[in-house]
C-alpha cells in the first residue's frame, strides 16, 4: 500500500492526532498546535489511540526511539520534522505573521524564522529588518548566527568553503554583489562592520552598500540620513546616483566628497566647473575620469592649470575625438606622452603624435596596443633605444618576428617586460617560465594563467578519479 504524503495525510485526518517525537525545530509546539488546529488536527507527545502519523526530529532519545519503533511495527506512517516544517512554511500567511510579530516584538520567533530555509526571500528580508542587533555586545552568538543564515541563503558556498560563512569579509562580498534593494536596506541595519581592504585601508559595511549600483530611492534616503561623510563619498561616486542628489553632495563642500564626485559621470557642467576650482587631487581625478568634450575643454583652459596637472587629461579614456585632435597640437611634452600611451586614440591620431617629433613620446607609442603594425616596425628599426625595445617587448600588438628578435637579445629587462605579453609564442613563454625572477610578470600573463588553471583543473579531476 502506498504511503500517503504528509500533505495528503493532513488533508484527510480531521479530528485525528499527530504524534511529535524529539525536540522543537524552527517552530515551537504552540505554533505547530495553532497551525494544525486550523485543519482540526491535534498534537500529542504520547503514543495513544487516534494517532494517524508520527513526525520525528532527526535526533531522538532512547524512550522516543522505542515509541518510534512501536509506531513502525504497527504501520503508523512516520514523517521527518523537516518535511513537516517545509509544509508549514509554505502555508504561512506573511501579512498575518508579520503583524503578529510587530505587535509582540517576539525576537526569539524572528531568530528562529530566519534560520528557516523554507521561507521565501521576501519574507526573510522583512524579518531581517525586524531583527534587533546586539550592538552593545561584541560578537554576540545570535547576531553571528543571523549573519550565517544570511550568507548561506545569498552566497553560493561550496562544501569545502564553509569557513566563509564565519568571515565578515563574506558579508562585504554580499553587500557588493546584492541586486535586491530591499536586501541592501536590511544590510544597512546591520552593525557597521569594518573590513581591511588592500590598498584602501578600513572600509565599513555601509560604505560598501553605498557603492552598490542597485540602490533605490529608499536606500539612498536611508544612507544619506546617516550623516556619515564616508558613506556620502561612497554614494557620490556611485553611477546609479542621479544629479539632484549629486548637487546636494556638492553643496557639502567636503574634499573627500568632491574627490568622489570628480569620478562620477553623472555630474553636469556646473559641478564640473566648480570642481575645477578645488584641490589638485580633485582636479586630477576630474581630468582623468570625466567625459571631455570641446565645451568642457574650454572650461578647463579657463582655469590656466599648471602644465603638469593639465597633462593628466591625456590619459583620459573618455576624450571626444575632436578634443584629442586639439590636445595633440599643444606644446606640452608630458601631455603628448600621456596621449601616446592612450589606447583609445585612433591610428591616425597616434601617427600625428609621432610626426610631432617629440622623442620622449616614442616609447609610449611603442607600448600602445592601438598603434599600427607599420608604426611599431618603424620604431623598432629606426630607434635602437633601450626604453623602446622594452616597450615593444610588452606590447601585445608587436609582430611576432620582432618579439623573437627581441627575445634573442637575451637581456633581462626585455624578458621581464615580455613575460606579461600574452602574444608571446608559447615556446618562448616556456623558456621564461623557468626564470624564478619573472614570477610576478608571468602571473599577469593571460595565457600563462589560463594554462596554469587548466593544469590545476586536470589535477583536481585526476584526484577525484
Amino acid at each position: 500500500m502506498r504511503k500517503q504524503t504528509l500533505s495528503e495525510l493532513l488533508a484527510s485526518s480531521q479530528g485525528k492526532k499527530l504524534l511529535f517525537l524529539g525536540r522543537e525545530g524552527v517552530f515551537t509546539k504552540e505554533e505547530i498546535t495553532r497551525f494544525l488546529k486550523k485543519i482540526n488536527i491535534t498534537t500529542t507527545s504520547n503514543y495513544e489511540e487516534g494517532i494517524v502519523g508520527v513526525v520525528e526530529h532527526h535526533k531522538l532519545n532512547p524512550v522516543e526511539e522505542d515509541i518510534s519503533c512501536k509506531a513502525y511495527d504497527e504501520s503508523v506512517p512516520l514523517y521527518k520534522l523537516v518535511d513537516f516544517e517545509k509544509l508549514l512554511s509554505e502555508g504561512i500567511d506573511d501579512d498575518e505573521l508579520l503583524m503578529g510579530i510587530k505587535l509582540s516584538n517576539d525576537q526569539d520567533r524572528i531568530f528562529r524564522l530566519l534560520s528557516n530555509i523554507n521561507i521565501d526571500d521576501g519574507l526573510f528580508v522583512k524579518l531581517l529588518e525586524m531583527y534587533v542587533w546586539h550592538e552593545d555586545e561584541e560578537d554576540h552568538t545570535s547576531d553571528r548566527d543571523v549573519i550565517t543564515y544570511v550568507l548561506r541563503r545569498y552566497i553560493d558556498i561550496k562544501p569545502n568553503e564553509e569557513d566563509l560563512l564565519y568571515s565578515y569579509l563574506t558579508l562585504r562580498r554580499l553587500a557588493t554583489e546584492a541586486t535586491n534593494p530591499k536586501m541592501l536596506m536590511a544590510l544597512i541595519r546591520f552593525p557597521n562592520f569594518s573590513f581591511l581592504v588592500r590598498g584602501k585601508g578600513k572600509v565599513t559595511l555601509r560604505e560598501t552598500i553605498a557603492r552598490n549600483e542597485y540602490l533605490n530611492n529608499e536606500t539612498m534616503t536611508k544612507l544619506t540620513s546617516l550623516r556619515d561623510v564616508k558613506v556620502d563619498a561612497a554614494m557620490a561616486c556611485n553611477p546609479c546616483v542621479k544629479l539632484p542628489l549629486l548637487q546636494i553632495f556638492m553643496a557639502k563642500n567636503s574634499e573627500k566628497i568632491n574627490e568622489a564626485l570628480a569620478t562620477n559621470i553623472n555630474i553636469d557642467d556646473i559641478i564640473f566647473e566648480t570642481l575645477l576650482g578645488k584641490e589638485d587631487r580633485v582636479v586630477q581625478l576630474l581630468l582623468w575620469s570625466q567625459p571631455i568634450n570641446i565645451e568642457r575643454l574650454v572650461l578647463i583652459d579657463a582655469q590656466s592649470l599648471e602644465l603638469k596637472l593639465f597633462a593628466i587629461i591625456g590619459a583620459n579614456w573618455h576624450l571626444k575625438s575632436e578634443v584629442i585632435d586639439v590636445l595633440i597640437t599643444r606644446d606640452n611634452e608630458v601631455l603628448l606622452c600621456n596621449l601616446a600611451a592612450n589606447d583609445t586614440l585612433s591610428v591616425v591620431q597616434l601617427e600625428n603624435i609621432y610626426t610631432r617629433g617629440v622623442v620622449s613620446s616614442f616609447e609610449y607609442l611603442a607600448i600602445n596596443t592601438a598603434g599600427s603594425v607599420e608604426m611599431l616596425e618603424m620604431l623598432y628599426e629606426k630607434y635602437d633605444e633601450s626604453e623602446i625595445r622594452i616597450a615593444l617587448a610588452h606590447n601585445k600588438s608587436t609582430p611576432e618576428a620582432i618579439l623573437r628578435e627581441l627575445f634573442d637579445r637575451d637581456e633581462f629587462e626585455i624578458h621581464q617586460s615580455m613575460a606579461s605579453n600574452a602574444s608571446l609564442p608559447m615556446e618562448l613563454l616556456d623558456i621564461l617560465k623557468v626564470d624564478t625572477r619573472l614570477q610576478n610578470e608571468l602571473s599577469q600573463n593571460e595565457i600563462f594563467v589560463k594554462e596554469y588553471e587548466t593544469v590545476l583543473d586536470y589535477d583536481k579531476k585526476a584526484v577525484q578519479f
Side-chain angles (χ1 to χ4, degrees):
M1 182 177 176
R2 183 181 72 86
K3 176 184 174 182
Q4 285 183 302
T5 65
L6 187 53
S7 58
E8 289 173 342
L9 178 74
L10 296 181
S12 62
S13 300
Q14 292 186 358
K16 305 294 185 179
K17 297 177 183 177
L18 270 183
L19 171 60
F20 283 81
L21 295 177
R23 59 189 178 87
E24 300 172 349
V26 295
F27 297 105
T28 64
K29 291 178 181 178
E30 291 76 14
E31 290 166 349
I32 292 172
T33 299
R34 285 199 300 270
F35 169 74
L36 292 174
K37 187 177 180 181
K38 294 178 181 178
I39 53 177
N40 196 23
I41 295 176
T42 57
T43 65
T44 181
S45 56
N46 300 311
Y47 195 81
E48 55 191 72
E49 289 187 11
I51 292 174
V52 292
V54 179
V55 178
E56 303 179 331
H57 190 277
H58 67 279
K59 289 183 179 180
L60 301 178
N61 63 37
V63 173
E64 292 165 340
E65 286 282 4
D66 289 341
I67 296 173
S68 177
C69 290
K70 183 178 180 181
Y72 178 79
D73 291 340
E74 297 187 8
S75 300
V76 178
L78 306 177
Y79 302 92
K80 295 178 182 178
L81 179 63
V82 291
D83 293 331
F84 178 83
E85 289 177 339
K86 185 175 187 298
L87 199 61
L88 197 161
S89 300
E90 290 170 353
I92 289 176
D93 183 320
D94 290 6
D95 293 334
E96 182 182 325
L97 172 69
L98 293 169
M99 181 60 70
I101 291 176
K102 285 179 181 177
L103 292 174
S104 63
N105 191 27
D106 189 343
Q107 288 294 309
D108 179 63
R109 191 179 185 191
I110 293 172
F111 177 77
R112 284 186 289 104
L113 286 167
L114 288 172
S115 71
N116 186 350
I117 61 173
N118 297 309
I119 62 174
D120 63 35
D121 289 350
L123 178 57
F124 181 85
V125 170
K126 290 176 182 176
L127 289 167
L128 190 59
E129 290 181 325
M130 297 168 70
Y131 179 75
V132 177
W133 296 89
H134 303 80
E135 297 194 51
D136 54 334
E137 300 179 45
E138 187 174 347
D139 205 26
H140 190 279
T141 303
S142 295
D143 289 357
R144 178 167 282 282
D145 286 344
V146 168
I147 292 172
T148 303
Y149 301 150
V150 172
L151 296 179
R152 191 178 293 280
R153 179 176 283 260
Y154 291 102
I155 297 291
D156 183 20
I157 301 293
K158 298 176 183 177
N160 63 336
E161 297 176 334
E162 286 286 310
D163 57 317
L164 294 178
L165 294 171
Y166 305 97
S167 169
Y168 288 145
L169 281 174
T170 313
L171 188 61
R172 178 175 179 269
R173 175 181 161 188
L174 174 60
T176 302
E177 298 177 357
T179 59
N180 182 349
K182 291 189 179 297
M183 182 72 237
L184 293 171
M185 177 65 84
L187 287 174
I188 295 172
R189 297 189 66 258
F190 278 46
N192 195 24
F193 300 111
S194 292
F195 314 103
L196 192 60
V197 180
R198 184 179 299 175
K200 295 183 179 179
K202 283 189 175 182
V203 177
T204 67
L205 176 61
R206 289 172 184 167
E207 284 179 78
T208 306
I209 296 167
R211 289 191 178 92
N212 189 298
E213 294 186 22
Y214 289 89
L215 301 178
N216 62 10
N217 290 335
E218 185 183 10
T219 51
M220 289 182 196
T221 300
K222 179 63 177 177
L223 287 167
T224 53
S225 72
L226 299 174
R227 300 182 183 279
D228 183 326
V229 173
K230 289 185 176 180
V231 171
D232 288 347
M235 288 182 67
C237 65
N238 190 329
C240 80
V241 177
K242 304 304 180 186
L243 184 59
L245 185 52
L246 296 179
Q247 291 169 332
I248 292 173
F249 288 142
M250 184 73 248
K252 291 179 180 291
N253 197 27
S254 160
E255 183 174 354
K256 192 173 188 67
I257 294 175
N258 288 344
E259 289 177 5
L261 285 169
T263 66
N264 195 319
I265 61 172
N266 291 331
I267 64 172
D268 61 5
D269 287 349
I270 296 175
I271 294 178
F272 182 90
E273 185 175 14
T274 304
L275 291 174
L276 280 171
K278 301 297 182 181
E279 298 81 4
D280 282 359
R281 172 63 178 164
V282 176
V283 178
Q284 288 171 4
L285 291 169
L286 201 67
L287 296 179
W288 180 74
S289 58
Q290 285 295 315
I292 307 292
N293 54 23
I294 288 294
E295 290 74 22
R296 285 191 170 182
L297 181 59
V298 171
L299 295 176
I300 296 168
D301 285 337
Q303 295 291 322
S304 300
L305 300 175
E306 186 263 330
L307 288 179
K308 190 174 181 181
L309 178 58
F310 178 83
I312 292 171
I313 198 174
N316 190 322
W317 288 355
H318 309 287
L319 300 174
K320 291 293 185 180
S321 183
E322 58 269 24
V323 171
I324 295 171
D325 292 338
V326 171
L327 294 176
I328 289 173
T329 66
R330 299 284 177 95
D331 291 324
N332 184 331
E333 187 173 334
V334 179
L335 168 63
L336 213 58
C337 290
N338 286 340
L339 286 168
N342 191 331
D343 59 12
T344 65
L345 270 67
S346 68
V347 168
V348 172
Q349 288 168 333
L350 292 174
E351 290 173 350
N352 288 340
I353 291 175
Y354 175 75
T355 58
R356 289 289 310 272
V358 179
V359 177
S360 60
S361 70
F362 293 170
E363 67 176 282
Y364 298 96
L365 289 171
I367 205 170
N368 194 326
T369 57
S372 65
V373 170
E374 293 76 15
M375 177 180 286
L376 298 178
E377 289 174 338
M378 179 187 62
L379 288 169
Y380 175 69
E381 293 166 2
K382 194 171 181 180
Y383 302 96
D384 191 22
E385 303 292 335
S386 173
E387 294 81 2
I388 292 178
R389 292 197 300 270
I390 291 171
L392 288 169
H394 182 77
N395 193 334
K396 291 190 291 185
S397 297
T398 299
E400 182 179 321
I402 294 178
L403 289 176
R404 290 184 180 278
E405 288 184 23
L406 288 170
F407 184 88
D408 291 340
R409 285 176 174 264
D410 198 23
E411 296 177 15
F412 176 73
E413 290 79 8
I414 288 178
H415 286 181
Q416 187 177 34
S417 181
M418 192 172 279
S420 58
N421 189 336
S423 294
L424 191 68
M426 280 304 301
E427 70 267 24
L428 302 186
L429 184 60
D430 287 337
I431 296 172
L432 295 182
K433 276 193 277 187
V434 301
D435 192 335
T436 57
R437 297 173 297 174
L438 302 177
Q439 292 307 304
N440 287 338
E441 288 74 24
L442 287 167
S443 67
Q444 300 169 35
N445 190 314
E446 300 166 18
I447 301 300
F448 176 78
V449 171
K450 186 175 182 179
E451 181 188 21
Y452 182 69
E453 289 175 346
T454 301
V455 171
L456 282 181
D457 186 53
Y458 177 81
D459 288 344
K460 286 179 183 177
K461 290 178 181 177
V463 170
Q464 289 172 355
F465 177 77

